[in-house]
Amino acid sequence: MSRTSQSNKISIATILIGSVLLAALFLFPGFLPSLNLEKNHLAFHTLLEFFSVFVSFSISAFGWIAFRDMRTTTMLWLPIVFTAIGALDLLHALSYEGMPFFITENSAGKSIWFWIAARLTESVALLALLAHKEKPVTRKQYGALLLLPWAYVLLLAVIIIRFEASLPTLVVNGAGTTALKNALEYVNAALHAASIVFVVRYYRQTRSRTELELVFGIGLLLAASLLFTVYVHILDSIVIAGHLLKVAGYVFIFRCFYFARLEMIFQHKQRTEQDLQEVRGKLESFIEHTPDCIAFQDLKGRIVQVNHGFETIFGVCAEEAVGKRLSDLVSACRMDLKPLRKVFAGEPLIGHEMVIERKDGKTVRISTTLSPVRNAAGERVSIASISRDITEQKEAEAKLRQAEQELVETVREHQGMILKYKIQEGRIIHTLCDGQLLYDMQLQPEQIVGQGLPAIWLDDGQQRFHEHYQTAWAGRRVDFEATIQGIVCFITLSPIRRNGVIAEVIGSWINITKLKKTEELLQKSEKLAVVGELAAGVAHEIRNPLTTLKGFTQILGMKVDEDSQPFIELMMSELERIEAITSEFMVVAKPQQNQYEPVDIPQVLQQVIQLLGPQATLNNVQISLEVDAAVTTIYGDANQMKQVFMNVMKNAIESMERGGSMYIEVDNPQAGQLCVKVRDTGSGIPADMLPRLGEPFYTLKEKGTGLGLMVSYRIIEAHQGRISFDSEVGLGTTVRIALPTKSGF
């Protein structure tokens, strides 16, 4: 016969005996006359009450012990409740009429009120425990709850003892229980009945013996409550029978929690052992089959246990390794020992790298994680280490870093610029940008990578850049030119697809500024070639008839009267003008090889100012010369320099139709250079026309040819100098002619 079956039969037998006893007491209230003696009654009452107190405190103690493993609300409140019940029953027994001692005078009134307080506490608490939803207890500080039942009992004891005379009477000897007493007992019975309903519902779901015993226990308490409503005198045998039923009920409740706990412990132990075996098997399998090295060392550094991975990485079998230190098993070990001291002091060490040279001469790089192993008392007993061979990984990382470095250096040495970008949530984000062109723009990669379009690029046209970026991101290759800080760039944006989706766009920037200038020079050279051919032809065809016309005009001037003489002079003037133009044509057509010699520039300027003085006076132009140069001599051709200065100064005079001022300054802006600056207050030159100055046949004058400035450009370039124009319409023009000095030529 099983223990569960035997326990169930005992429980059923107890219930049957109790039921028969209860029926006999109702049907034959005088069948136990010997219990009517006061002496026997007090002894039986005290014995039963002390036994119930013992059971209550046993349930309480058992509950606190069980709470260590079962941190649930039931196991938390069960000991609290039964501590209060046991204490109240103890006060009931000690204050019972006829007891030899108590903290105050014994009386039936105090004893009955302690009884009612214990019973109501019992019924309310049991119903609450059964009706509430079981939850785990997460609160750590629960020890203070041990004071709760004693505070509760102390409060009730003070009220009952202090106000006993004012409390209603519950029992009148010879007349039986009062209506209030019976009402309270009926309430108590009703609460027990409600508890039975909850337990039966649980029993129908689980069919557990513990729920059945709980039904028996609460049923006996219910019967006891009903029994205490029918006695007449406290010495009646019904009182003893009620106490017997209460004690039996407490025994069943104790059995319920006790056997449920034992069964749970057994199941938990069995499950724990199974889990432990499973975990141990998995752990042993993991340790043995993992390619990583797992080793355990004692606190002195001696190896206690290793796995197969240790043999693979360190090249030493397990039998040879056990009992030795790592330094004994390798030829050399390079690592920082400071972190290891922390491990032996109790701190973990994660991902520590070291290099070892094995006995077979192979060098291995290892990443090791070490952690102290502690026993149940928290004491360190050994050191566990997990090591991984990262030799190939480190070699791959080194190759990757080298490849990245080579790529960065290649991109950085690129004379242009290479960039990559993507568009996320409508925002342009550059992921790469480098190259010499980037530094030429006074930018750094950090200013571009992770950012959108920089402001310096948008000065050329913000909308245009955005449109080109969006077009490339849409899947089309884009080629365009942009000028940024005077640098002409040819930009190509090519979309990169991965798995049919555009992942990013790669851009290539090339500096074509020199190419553009070369193209412009080529165009000018072609124009000059055409002009040269044209000039040679025109000069050849014009010179002969021009000489004839000039000769006959001079002869004719000798024979005409004075009235016609002005016309002859006008004709000679125009013929000389034509001759000057043909001379310019010849300079363009056939540049002469000059013999350079020292030339004093201020002296040349003085001669030109004297020659142009009458013309300046006629145009109401004031000319001033200021020389602020330590070195004023250059190597060059004095006549050619006169021609240059005359062209520049004549253009300045002609630009001031209503008069004005011309300021000529000579200085040395830097060592080895002489600068002549001619500034006028004339009409100025539009900004869009400045770049074309010096082109043949391009002029602002109605009767000009543009050849004068073209010849001036060529003369200055032949003297290894530079000529530039700054002008603002309505304010005037400044011409700067920079020439190397005698020492710098």
Side-chain angles (χ1 to χ4, degrees), residues 351-378:
H352 187 66
E353 295 185 6
M354 62 180 180
V355 181
I356 64 168
E357 184 178 341
R358 303 191 330 187
K359 294 291 187 180
D360 57 6
K362 182 179 180 181
T363 301
V364 183
R365 297 183 66 93
I366 298 174
S367 174
T368 302
T369 296
L370 300 100
S371 179
V373 179
R374 303 178 184 273
N375 57 18

Side-chain angles (χ1 to χ4, degrees), residues 707-719:
L707 296 176
L709 275 183
M710 185 194 75
V711 171
S712 298
Y713 265 97
R714 294 189 62 179
I715 291 173
I716 296 301
E717 288 175 359
H719 284 73

Side-chain angles (χ1 to χ4, degrees), residues 16 24 220 242 386 401 483 589 639 657 728 733:
L16 291 176
L220 291 172
I386 301 178
R401 285 194 298 269
T483 302
N639 291 327
E657 297 178 355
E728 191 170 347
T733 303

